[in-house]
Amino acid sequence: MTIQFNKETFRDDYSFKNSDWAIQRFPFPFHEDSYMYSVNMEQHRGGPAGSVYEKRFDVDEHYISEMEDRAMVLADDPLRCQSLPHMTLAGWDLLELIMVSKSEDYPDLFELHREGDIWRWINKPMGIDDTFTFLDETTLPYGPMEYITRQTQGDFCVLDQRDDNLWMDAGMVTTQADWSLDFDIGMNFFEWHAPVPLAHEKGIFKRALKFLLNIQQGAPARRLNWTMTVNPLLDTSPENYHKWGIQKTTLTPENIGAKQHLRVELQSFFRLPRSNALVFPIRCYLIAFQDIVKSPKWGRRLHRVIRDLPEELATYKGFIDNRPMMLDFLSKYDDGLPTSPGVFPDNETEPALQK
Amino acid sequence: MSAAPQRAKAGAEKIEVIVSAVLPLNDLVTRFEFKRKDGNRFPTFSAGAHTVVHMRDGDRQRLNPYSLMSDPADTETYAISVRRDDEGRGGSLFMHNNVKVGDAMEITYPVNLFSLDLRAKKHVFLAGGIGITPFMAMIAQLERSSDSWELHYSVRTEALGTYVDQLVSKYPNKVRIYYDDQSQSINLENLLDGQPLGTNVYVCGPKGMIDWVHKTAAAAGWPDANVHSEEFTAPQPGKEFQVRLCRSEKTITVGENESLLEAMEREGVDAPFLCRGGACGQCETNVVSSDGEFIHRDHWLEPDEHGNKIMPCVSRFIGKSLEIDR
Ligand code: HEM
Ligand code: FES
């Protein structure tokens, strides 16, 4: 399949939109009609054909525009990309992982040619054709992590593993849900998760960390996380809260279907070979409420999940004030019929809306 | 449940290989080299990593972990060195007696439980006997990145000094050899005393040597985090056992090299799972009755649940009888 790349923006006039293809394959995060934090991790070794789970690094119609948005964020704030000195090798590991994966998974878009340490990388969608020496930083325009993550959708945290913990010692973070790399850099797994409500008490982080420390090369894992964003903004960082926080008050019953977006992160975990670090790609997918409710099952379920979500979670995720308005909108798409298990829309088998 | 759970095999992925060289190094140690069967490159590994070699010995399958000792930069060939252990469980004897150039074998993706701390200003390696193998890869990696290291290598006799000649001729100023039969031994107190701040020490050798290094370093005030030792966790599989699945009304046998979860799947029993690594809680199963001992390997159950629950993705059982609610 060849991908038609959209020309669109995630700021100012917000021309971002999802095609029918993108809506159909959206990673809807709820497998049942309620939601609570859990150790929701599974192996990342493929998934249904065409789904966002199929490839190691999903490439979709937003690729080019997301990379343009990242370049703009970095131009304004270079601290969104940081790497402590001992993480350079992990950066090369990440560059290799992405180049090898993308050239194998999307041979029509990406090519990698290796002659010993001389590597040639061709990124057709972005018009890049570079030859460089592997492990020699002077032959690339940026450090290895920055170079490759300027060409790959999603944020990246590169975690050093030592003393039975993970340390956020490098990252490229421009599409985050209200947390800051500059603040978290050098922190460990428990420290950067400190603000999350309820999950510590439930023992989720303790178990999740043990699992992550055991992740082995060739056996990546993944999980989904989600939140809400008004307007299709990629960069909802604390650094820019003054710009986007205020937009949450612009929601009205008339514009909510178009403006309110469900924001889903497909998070994956890969062991890196030379450095033994762990990389944590956080791929953000946005979808407008009006597009979600095109699938009757998703409309019914989203209403029930948002209605019954514990207050602590709605507060932490930053939509407690807008929840009543969301529920007014979503309730129109919930006729009380049961929903099929699992995340997929099942449009062929689920009954149409009965109201 | 999460998005699209995949029924992939737990643990490390396997790679099919062809034995490309068998090189006896001395009376006890032989080097084996592998190429990939599909002609592709091997995954890159980090120095200190091991691979688990699968051996088909008649109708038994043996799984032995060996340190990868080739240059991590070389993805064409993997190499291991195997010391013949006449008293061990037989894996090393099988390698020495049965494995020939051209044989097809399976090995796992590399797993690293003994990695370099890349923040270290200097790396000091202490090897005893066949414990030299992970350091061969570490040295190659550090030479490439021009990092500072030294090796203290204790061997029984000159004739049994695996890779001694090669190491001494290539790195005469960084390698020191100690011969047991000439009553030479590493003077650890002195050695630790002279090290610059930010030095990390790595030991691989017999258990007694590892304990001695940890104890001596601790007594000299070294932080535990700066002293690393290779610890092979026993390969995941265990003894065969039988289990009664009372809801499915089946009695099944869990083989040596599969998990209880995999055995249930093989028998067509629909058992829930997600992570297949003992963390997510999805596969939690009630124990109806048991007479024997559980081997709990999960991160999920609390100690007070250990008598009446089991996580089939990682945990096992030894004993007379086990009945679970599945
Ligand atoms: C090593 C990889 C991981 C990194 C780098 C990471 C990073 C983060 C960060 C930066 C936050 C935002 C915290 C804040 O408010 O400042 C967060 C939130 C969270 N993380 Fe992680 N995380 C990782 C793995 C996991 C895993 C494995 C789990 C659970 C199984 C998990 C569960 C959560 C939850 C539940 C939240 C709250 C999210 C929300 O409600 O929107 N994280 N994580
Ligand atoms: S499948 Fe996750 S704990 Fe067993």
Side-chain angles (χ1 to χ4, degrees):
Chain A
M1 199 211 67
T2 48
I3 304 170
Q4 286 292 322
F5 296 107
N6 300 349
K7 185 100 197 74
E8 61 192 359
T9 57
F10 301 87
R11 53 179 74 206
D12 307 322
D13 63 343
Y14 299 113
S15 61
F16 163 90
K17 70 179 203 358
N18 284 307
S19 68
D20 289 341
W21 173 70
I23 294 171
Q24 183 67 32
R25 72 198 292 276
F26 187 81
F28 189 72
F30 309 114
H31 67 274
E32 59 187 8
D33 288 353
S34 64
Y35 178 82
M36 189 36 172
Y37 291 144
S38 65
V39 190
N40 58 335
M41 283 185 282
E42 65 191 32
Q43 297 181 323
H44 185 39
R45 306 217 202 158
S51 74
V52 301
Y53 310 107
E54 186 186 7
K55 311 286 198 211
R56 287 166 280 189
F57 297 91
D58 183 48
V59 176
D60 69 5
E61 63 192 28
H62 307 298
Y63 179 39
I64 304 292
S65 302
E66 285 188 26
M67 293 302 98
E68 286 169 1
D69 196 73
R70 165 156 296 162
M72 285 188 267
V73 173
L74 288 169
D76 288 346
D77 184 359
L79 291 179
R80 300 302 188 84
C81 179
Q82 300 192 33
S83 176
L84 298 183
H86 62 280
M87 297 303 280
T88 306
L89 187 62
W92 284 108
D93 277 334
L94 178 61
L95 174 141
E96 177 186 47
L97 174 69
I98 294 177
M99 287 185 177
V100 170
S101 303
K102 280 188 162 182
S103 59
E104 287 176 1
D105 293 351
Y106 299 93
D108 50 332
L109 300 180
F110 305 96
E111 288 175 26
L112 177 64
H113 305 279
R114 292 179 277 184
E115 288 291 337
D117 285 346
I118 307 298
W119 292 24
R120 179 173 172 210
W121 167 245
I122 304 174
N123 175 340
K124 291 182 192 162
M126 291 181 74
I128 292 169
D129 183 345
D130 284 339
T131 298
F132 60 95
T133 307
F134 190 69
L135 294 180
D136 180 353
E137 275 188 89
T138 61
T139 59
L140 282 176
Y142 307 100
M145 177 189 73
E146 178 167 0
Y147 176 79
I148 196 61
T149 56
R150 278 176 177 266
Q151 301 178 42
T152 310
Q153 289 165 278
D155 283 344
F156 289 81
C157 301
V158 189
L159 299 321
D160 196 20
Q161 179 159 331
R162 49 176 204 268
D163 310 341
D164 287 331
N165 212 324
L166 294 167
W167 303 83
M168 201 176 300
D169 287 349
M172 164 68 90
V173 179
T174 66
T175 67
Q176 69 270 52
D178 202 10
W179 67 277
S180 160
L181 175 68
D182 192 40
F183 184 75
D184 286 359
I185 193 103
M187 284 188 182
N188 71 33
F189 190 79
F190 297 113
E191 290 167 347
W192 77 64
H193 277 126
V196 180
L198 304 180
H200 293 269
E201 297 85 318
K202 293 165 75 81
I204 287 175
F205 290 123
K206 208 179 67 194
R207 290 172 174 128
L209 176 62
K210 286 197 181 135
F211 181 84
L212 296 180
L213 295 174
N214 274 324
I215 284 189
Q216 292 166 8
Q217 216 180 316
R222 66 179 170 226
R223 68 181 287 266
L224 294 176
N225 186 43
W226 65 278
T227 188
M228 292 286 177
T229 304
V230 174
N231 289 328
L233 269 160
L234 282 178
D235 174 24
T236 50
S237 57
E239 286 89 342
N240 281 331
Y241 188 82
H242 59 285
K243 293 188 199 155
W244 61 268
I246 185 95
Q247 297 180 22
K248 292 200 267 182
T249 63
T250 64
L251 221 52
T252 67
E254 291 69 43
N255 67 22
I256 185 168
K259 259 183 180 304
Q260 180 64 57
H261 288 72
L262 174 63
R263 179 188 194 100
V264 175
E265 293 171 350
L266 171 56
Q267 308 179 337
S268 47
F269 310 88
F270 295 82
R271 175 69 56 205
L272 295 176
R274 295 175 188 74
S275 57
N276 204 39
L278 194 77
V279 65
F280 179 58
I282 312 163
R283 173 66 183 281
C284 170
Y285 294 86
L286 293 163
I287 188 171
F289 269 23
Q290 64 191 19
D291 287 337
I292 301 178
V293 299
K294 288 176 182 166
S295 294
K297 170 177 162 183
W298 286 357
R300 291 180 181 109
R301 180 166 291 168
L302 186 61
H303 173 247
R304 296 168 199 177
V305 168
I306 299 304
R307 183 190 62 201
D308 302 337
L309 193 74
E311 197 151 312
E312 291 94 329
L313 268 69
T315 306
Y316 174 73
K317 289 173 188 285
F319 65 85
I320 188 83
D321 292 344
N322 284 334
R323 173 148 76 170
M325 206 193 298
M326 289 177 180
L327 290 175
D328 282 345
F329 175 87
L330 291 171
S331 62
K332 289 186 285 208
Y333 300 92
D334 187 359
D335 50 18
L337 288 183
T339 51
S340 59
V343 293
F344 295 105
D346 302 333
N347 286 338
E348 291 75 34
T349 47
E350 288 290 279
L353 187 69
Q354 310 283 306
K355 70 189 215 185
Chain B
M1 261 252 296
S2 170
Q6 298 296 300
R7 199 164 283 194
K9 188 104 173 125
E13 196 110 301
K14 287 198 210 88
I15 306 170
E16 292 185 41
V17 298
I18 302 289
V19 179
S20 58
V22 177
L23 306 162
L25 300 175
N26 52 44
D27 280 354
L28 287 180
V29 180
T30 298
R31 174 186 171 105
F32 296 87
E33 296 184 358
F34 304 113
K35 302 266 188 217
R36 264 180 94 128
K37 194 172 169 193
D38 61 11
N40 290 338
R41 289 161 191 261
F42 280 109
T44 310
F45 69 94
S46 54
H50 69 264
T51 179
V52 179
V53 177
H54 291 235
M55 303 163 211
R56 235 161 293 132
D57 184 0
D59 52 8
R60 286 201 58 176
Q61 211 188 35
R62 298 181 182 280
L63 306 180
N64 275 36
Y66 294 106
S67 295
L68 288 167
M69 42 118 5
S70 37
D71 181 348
D74 176 7
T75 51
E76 303 285 329
T77 309
Y78 273 180
I80 60 173
S81 294
V82 179
R83 182 185 188 280
R84 200 182 72 228
D85 180 356
D86 295 324
E87 265 120 60
R89 292 192 307 146
S92 70
L93 281 175
F94 180 85
M95 291 296 291
H96 276 256
N97 298 339
N98 300 58
V99 174
K100 311 263 175 313
V101 171
D103 285 0
M105 298 188 85
E106 272 186 343
I107 66 175
T108 62
Y109 258 66
V111 173
N112 200 336
L113 304 174
F114 188 44
S115 53
L116 290 166
D117 186 334
L118 297 172
R119 298 167 309 157
K121 297 273 181 308
K122 180 180 172 189
H123 307 267
V124 174
F125 301 137
L126 306 171
I130 194 63
I132 188 65
T133 49
F135 299 130
M136 298 299 286
M138 289 184 173
I139 289 169
Q141 181 171 327
L142 294 178
E143 278 295 301
R144 246 178 109 85
S145 53
S146 315
D147 281 296
S148 163
W149 62 272
E150 66 187 46
L151 168 70
H152 298 266
Y153 180 15
S154 155
V155 300
R156 264 199 259 164
T157 63
E158 261 186 71
L160 290 176
T162 315
Y163 298 114
V164 161
D165 293 346
Q166 178 186 333
L167 285 163
V168 171
S169 67
K170 253 178 132 171
Y171 314 109
N173 302 322
K174 296 183 178 177
V175 172
R176 185 146 171 217
I177 312 293
Y178 305 77
Y179 295 104
D180 286 353
D181 65 344
Q182 300 172 30
S183 304
Q184 299 171 346
S185 61
I186 304 175
N187 185 340
L188 193 56
E189 282 90 354
N190 267 4
L191 193 116
L192 293 175
D193 198 29
Q195 296 303 331
L197 210 67
T199 299
N200 276 238
V201 172
Y202 306 76
V203 54
C204 186
K207 184 161 185 332
M209 179 180 186
I210 295 176
D211 294 344
W212 167 67
V213 170
H214 278 289
K215 242 174 59 201
T216 313
W222 280 59
D224 218 32
N226 288 17
V227 184
H228 312 265
S229 49
E230 168 81 285
E231 276 179 65
F232 280 130
T233 45
Q236 288 304 300
K239 284 216 181 75
E240 195 176 279
F241 65 99
Q242 281 208 340
V243 52
R244 170 87 189 150
L245 310 175
C246 60
R247 242 189 290 167
S248 323
E249 303 192 333
K250 273 185 184 176
T251 301
I252 65 170
T253 302
V254 182
E256 266 183 85
N257 298 308
E258 64 181 350
S259 66
L260 170 53
L261 177 63
E262 286 161 357
M264 289 194 284
E265 289 171 345
R266 173 168 54 68
E267 293 290 328
V269 173
D270 196 17
F273 71 91
L274 198 57
C275 69
R276 302 176 88 87
C280 73
Q282 278 300 317
C283 66
E284 182 179 299
T285 304
N286 287 324
V287 172
V288 178
S289 69
S290 68
D291 179 3
E293 198 183 320
F294 291 95
I295 303 166
H296 291 290
R297 288 185 177 139
D298 60 275
H299 316 306
W300 179 259
L301 296 175
E302 300 294 342
D304 63 353
E305 297 174 307
H306 277 171
N308 51 16
K309 286 183 176 162
I310 186 166
M311 309 305 286
C313 63
V314 289
S315 297
R316 307 183 71 87
F317 181 80
I318 303 180
K320 271 216 195 100
S321 67
L322 171 65
E323 190 178 3
I324 61 174
D325 183 21
R326 187 63 75 201

